[in-house]
Amino acid sequence: MVYIYNFSFTTGIVPSKLKIAKVIPAYNKGDKSCPGNYRPLSLLSVFDKLMEKLMYNRLTAFLDKHNILYKFQFGFRRCHSTSLALIEMLDNVYNNPDIGNVTVGVYLNLQKAFDTVDHGILLHKLHNYGIRGVVLNWFSHCLTNRQQFVAVGDNASILVL
């Protein structure tokens, strides 16, 4: 597997077999007989997850080394948990009245936010952050021509390769 991962990272090509997701329905709430009460859950192979984790480690090391991310970017970052975001927000709420400022909060629930990310915009942002060449090609290749099949119980849809 090390050979495959290194080959992928040096060529910018992700093996098509690692871009297949098994989609299963995950129950949310309400009437179990209503299809709208289920959300799709995409399961990737352990080999794909490992490769993505390796690239994640490389990307975060690059972003940290060059101090690219905003210091108040919380979540999905080491030492920048969402709990710390809450503490930062509470500090602002408590301290702003003391200096004569008014605090207003706007809270949004962005359901399925990750499902709506435009890949072209994402790749453009990566380019702007200094991700170029083979690594940018790897991300582009990783995001294109992904395949999935749906499995419910012992039944599965057909995957056309």
Side-chain angles (χ1 to χ4, degrees):
M1 291 310 297
V2 172
Y3 174 80
I4 292 171
Y5 296 149
N6 285 330
F7 184 79
S8 177
F9 294 154
T10 57
T11 62
I13 297 172
V14 178
S16 59
K17 297 283 187 188
L18 295 182
K19 298 196 297 184
I20 299 172
K22 176 182 179 181
V23 180
I24 61 171
Y27 174 70
N28 261 350
K29 60 184 174 210
D31 182 5
K32 287 190 174 187
S33 65
C34 179
N37 291 332
Y38 291 82
R39 61 182 173 82
L41 186 63
S42 294
L43 305 175
L44 301 171
S45 76
V46 67
F47 304 110
D48 179 54
K49 289 171 128 179
L50 182 56
M51 183 173 62
E52 289 180 5
K53 181 68 173 177
L54 291 169
M55 181 54 80
Y56 168 81
N57 289 340
R58 290 176 178 208
L59 179 62
T60 55
F62 175 84
L63 296 173
D64 290 342
K65 178 182 177 183
H66 297 287
N67 201 27
I68 292 173
L69 296 178
Y70 179 57
K71 69 178 182 175
F72 293 116
Q73 168 65 47
F74 294 100
F76 305 107
R77 289 182 67 197
R78 191 176 309 131
C79 301
H80 288 80
S81 69
T82 52
S83 298
L84 289 176
L86 182 60
I87 291 169
E88 180 67 29
M89 191 260 326
L90 288 174
D91 277 349
N92 287 329
V93 168
Y94 292 138
N95 293 329
N96 273 326
D98 293 342
I99 58 174
N101 292 335
V102 176
T103 301
V104 176
V106 177
Y107 302 93
L108 304 171
N109 180 4
L110 302 175
Q111 289 183 342
K112 301 179 183 178
F114 293 109
D115 296 338
T116 61
V117 173
D118 181 279
H119 294 169
I121 294 172
L122 176 62
L123 292 170
H124 182 73
K125 285 185 174 278
L126 286 172
H127 183 269
N128 286 343
Y129 287 141
I131 309 302
R132 310 252 166 75
V134 174
V135 177
L136 186 62
N137 291 342
W138 186 91
F139 279 104
S140 177
H141 198 267
C142 184
L143 294 170
T144 57
N145 298 321
R146 296 195 73 87
Q147 296 181 311
Q148 62 187 20
F149 66 96
V150 179
V152 179
D154 293 334
N155 301 309
S157 65
I158 297 172
L159 176 66
V160 179
L161 296 175

